[in-house]
Each structure stands twice: as C-alpha cells, then as structure tokens.
C-alpha cells in the first residue's frame, strides 16, 4: 500500500515533477505542442528499480503547474519490450514525432537497442511506427537517447545519439533526415583528432543535446566513467557541455574543456527545448545515485523515488553557460520576510517549500547558511570557495561538494522543497542540485556579518501536480 504524500512525509516535493509512485529518471520529449507544454519522463511504474521503463506524461500551460496524463509510451512491441528509453519530441506539420530508444533484453541476456518513432496528432494518443535506424557498425548495443532538432542552415533534421564504441569509449553519433522517417548516418560527432584533445573520454556518453545559445553551439552530454579532477566530477556520473561548431557533417570542438554544469550531488541527463517565445529551457533529473543509495533512499517507504529539477532558462554570456530559474516560478511566492545579513537570523516554518535570496552587494565575506540541522552552504572569501555539505543517508557521515568561484559571491538564490535543494550562484553562473533527507520542520538559519539583505518567500505546501487517479 502506498502512503499518502502529506505534510507528515517530510521528504515529499511540492513544486517539482516527481512520480505519483515508482521510480522517475530522465526528462524526455520536452516540447510545446499546439499551445500546451508536454513533459515526458522515464518511469518505472511497478517498482523502485531501473527496469520496465515507460514514458510518463504531464502537461502544463505555464511550466510550473502540471497535470498528469496517462503514460504516453509503454513496452508493447518486439523492439521495445523491455523498456521505452529516453528520447525527444519534435513537431512537423501539426504532428508530434517522438523519438525514443526501444530496449530489448534477448533470451541469452544480451541487450539490443532500437531507435524508434511514435507519432501523435493531438499530443495524447501515440501511434508507434517502429525502428527508423540500422544499428551502426563499430558500436556496442549501448546506443540510445535520440535528440532531434531542425537545422535551419541545412534545412534538415538532425539527430544526435549517445553511444559506446566497440573499444568501450564514449561517443555521440549524428544522423540527418529530410522527412523524419528515413535517416542517413553521418558517423561520430567529432573527428579522431578532436577526440584526442579531450583529457577524459569515459566509457559511455548518454543523453546528448545540441543547442545554440546566443550564437554559441553547445554539446550537452552525460558521460559515464570520468575520474574526479580537483573539485570536479565527484558524482557517480557527470553532466556538462563542450563548446562546439558545426563543420560540414561533423562538429568541431571550439575548446576541449568539458565544463560540469552542476556542482551538487545529483544532476544528470538534462534535456532542453525551445518555447514559442524563444526561450531555451532545461529540465534535469535529480539523480543518479549508487545502487546502495537508491536501495536505502528515505522516500522508498513512501513508494516513490527521484524527481526532476525546476525548469532552468539558459543563456550564454561571457563565454559561460548561464542557468537561471524560470521566471514563472515567482508565481509560487506567498509570504515574504526579509532579514539583514549583518547578523545571524533563524526562521522555522511548517511549510515545505521556500525560496531564499541572499544579496551581497559588496561581495560576500565568510558565512554559513543551514537548512534544518545538517545541510549547510558555506563560503570562504579568501579562497572564493563555496561549499555544500549534507548527511549521507547510507553512511550517516557528512559529505561535501565545492566550487571555486571565478568572481566574488554577490548573489545566491535557493529553492528548497521537502528533500531537494537547488542553489543558483551569481545569477546562474554556477548551479548545485542535491537531495537532502532530514526529519522535522523546515528551519533556515544564517550566520555571518555581511552587508546585504536576505529575502525569504514561502512557496507553501500545495502540490503543483494534479495527479491522475488510475
Ligand atoms: C540516463 C539513461 C539513458 C537511458 C535511460 C533509461 O539516465 O541511462 O541513457 O535511455 O536512462 O532509463
């Protein structure tokens, strides 16, 4: 029996996309179609393990309030019988095209993957067309996660896929099409020479996404198998971007540096889409975690696991990706309290969700900000080191993540929702996303001596998802 998500459950989320039950992972098929936003997500409806994936489906008119719809795609055919894996959506002539990976486990335990198409005229009823690509030579069966977009310059549709080469190195594959049904293979995204410039390659690249922001093209990708380097790459798997440029049938690396997009404990497999008003929006998965962390996840007893991030508005400024919380989130603000940052303050509330702004017009000096008792954000001015610590729910020990800021810390924006925390630093120059699990009412406290003001908005407790009763 599933327990109800109520205020008694301190871990529930009010304004994040989370599953009504079961396990959620990657955002899929983000799009605006016929005036409605559609968000799909990886969903195991039958258990808290990574199996039986289908595409959960929600719709929205404002990207904040969602209505759950019936699952859009579920395993049913020989080519997707063991899972509808990640993919994307694109509209053409009033029809929605969904591209996804059909996951198949053969009788001998080996895996097959098929890049498949499903179409819809209304965004609610989907017709499976089946596989549209041949498996590429030189690659293992780990080829997946089609992201499709229309390339204005060549007037073609392009597709990028996450892949693993036979030598077990990560890669991305490109395809092109005129009609979305027949696709020509263009091969690996980069030349061998470009690949040789990378300091790390990893063994598999997942969920690639190619976008252009303020005239800079970026490959956003989630590689597996990167080693930690200084403060970077400490999570199970990584997500970041390369600056790239289209070069005939390949892309060229403008810079070989892989820039991690989020320095928190959990952020993975994001996807972007463009709204009709021209904004590029990203949702990510607040994951992944080790098998042991998932097994012991404190939400398991309430029958659900994981969530998506809040929507982030993307831009590219001063040679960096900027990720800012979607402006529409302001709609959630209810009561407002302000505190001077000159001296310590504390707030306790029965509400689950809060947004906190810390504004340091003269640049922050050392301070500590605590959520409940054991989740802390702290800053050291001398080194410009901003840190996050939380209690690990498996070991019971404190664990840390850090980022070294390129400029002084002048602005922090925090979104706290039950058991999730998103930190936007200096207007989205750096972002950290994490879960934290602590019992008891929400407490916020600040210790420091700074010029500036903190503003705390209660975002209430009311869920922004209207669940469908099956
Ligand atoms: C990323 C991922 C994708 C795959 C999906 C399966 O988290 O592993 O590569 O399509 O999840 O759920």
């Amino acid at each position: 029996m599933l327990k109800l998500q109520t205020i008694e459950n301190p871990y529930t989320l009010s304004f994040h996309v989370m599953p009504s039950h079961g396990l959620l992972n990657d955002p899929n098929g983000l799009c605006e179609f016929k005036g409605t936003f559609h968000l799909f997500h990886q969903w195991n409806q039958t258990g808290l393990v990574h199996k039986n994936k289908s595409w959960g489906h929600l719709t929205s008119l404002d990207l904040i309030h969602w209505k759950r719809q019936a699952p859009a795609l579920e395993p049913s055919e020989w080519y997707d019988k063991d899972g509808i894996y990640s993919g994307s959506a694109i509209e053409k002539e009033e029809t929605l095209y969904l591209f996804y990976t059909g996951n198949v486990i053969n009788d001998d335990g080996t895996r097959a993957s098929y890049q498949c198409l499903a179409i819809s005229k209304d965004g609610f009823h989907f017709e499976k067309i089946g596989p549209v690509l041949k498996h590429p030579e030189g690659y293992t069966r780990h080829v997946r996660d089609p992201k499709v977009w229309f390339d204005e310059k060549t007037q073609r549709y392009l597709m990028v896929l996450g892949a693993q080469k036979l030598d077990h190195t990560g890669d991305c594959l490109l395809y092109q099409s005129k009609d979305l049904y027949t696709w020509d293979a263009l091969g690996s995204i980069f030349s061998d020479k470009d690949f040789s410039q990378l300091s790390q390659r990893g063994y598999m690249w997942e969920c690639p996404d190619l976008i252009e922001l303020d005239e800079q093209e970026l490959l956003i990708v989630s590689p597996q198998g990167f080693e930690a380097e200084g403060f970077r790459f400490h999570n199970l798997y990584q997500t970041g971007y390369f600056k790239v440029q289209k070069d005939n049938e390949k892309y060229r690396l403008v810079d070989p540096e892989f820039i991690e997009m989020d320095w928190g404990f959990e952020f993975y497999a994001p996807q972007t889409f463009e709204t009709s008003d021209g904004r590029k929006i990203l949702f990510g998965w607040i994951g992944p975690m080790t098998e042991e962390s998932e097994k012991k996840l404190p939400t398991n007893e309430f029958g659900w696991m994981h969530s998506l991030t809040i929507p982030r508005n993307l831009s590219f400024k001063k040679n960096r990706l900027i990720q800012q919380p979607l402006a529409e989130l302001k709609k959630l603000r209810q009561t407002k309290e302000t505190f001077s940052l000159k001296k310590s303050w504390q707030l306790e509330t029965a509400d689950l969700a809060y947004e906190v702004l810390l504004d340091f017009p003269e640049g922050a000096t050392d301070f500590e900000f605590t959520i409940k008792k054991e989740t802390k954000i702290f800053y050291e001015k001398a080194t410009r080191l901003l840190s996050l610590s939380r209690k690990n729910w498996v070991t019971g020990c404190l664990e840390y993540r850090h980022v070294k800021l390129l400029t002084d810390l002048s602005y922090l924006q925090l979104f706290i929702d039950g058991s999730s925390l998103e930190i936007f630093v200096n207007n989205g120059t750096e972002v950290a996303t994490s879960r934290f699990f602590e019992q008891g009412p929400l407490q916020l406290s600040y210790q420091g001596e700074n010029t500036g003001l903190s503003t705390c908005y209660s975002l209430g407790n009311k869920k922004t998802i209207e669940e469908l009763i099956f």
Side-chain angles (χ1 to χ4, degrees), residues 25-26 42 53 85-86 144-145 206-207 268 285:
N25 56 301
D26 317 350
Q42 288 288 283
K53 299 291 172 73
Y85 273 12
S86 287
R144 54 180 171 262
D145 311 334
E206 295 190 314
C207 298
Y268 198 64
W285 169 34

Side-chain angles (χ1 to χ4, degrees), residues 371-408:
I371 299 163
K372 295 204 174 175
K373 295 208 161 52
E374 276 158 323
T375 308
K376 289 185 193 290
I377 300 162
F378 48 100
Y379 182 62
E380 190 183 69
K381 181 184 165 65
T383 53
R384 284 203 186 127
L385 200 67
L386 183 64
S387 305
L388 168 67
S389 66
R390 71 170 179 196
K391 192 168 166 178
N392 181 291
W393 57 95
V394 177
T395 62
C397 299
L398 287 181
E399 53 186 352
Y400 298 84
R401 289 290 181 270
H402 311 275
V403 68
K404 208 169 159 61
L405 301 182
L406 298 174
T407 57
D408 282 347

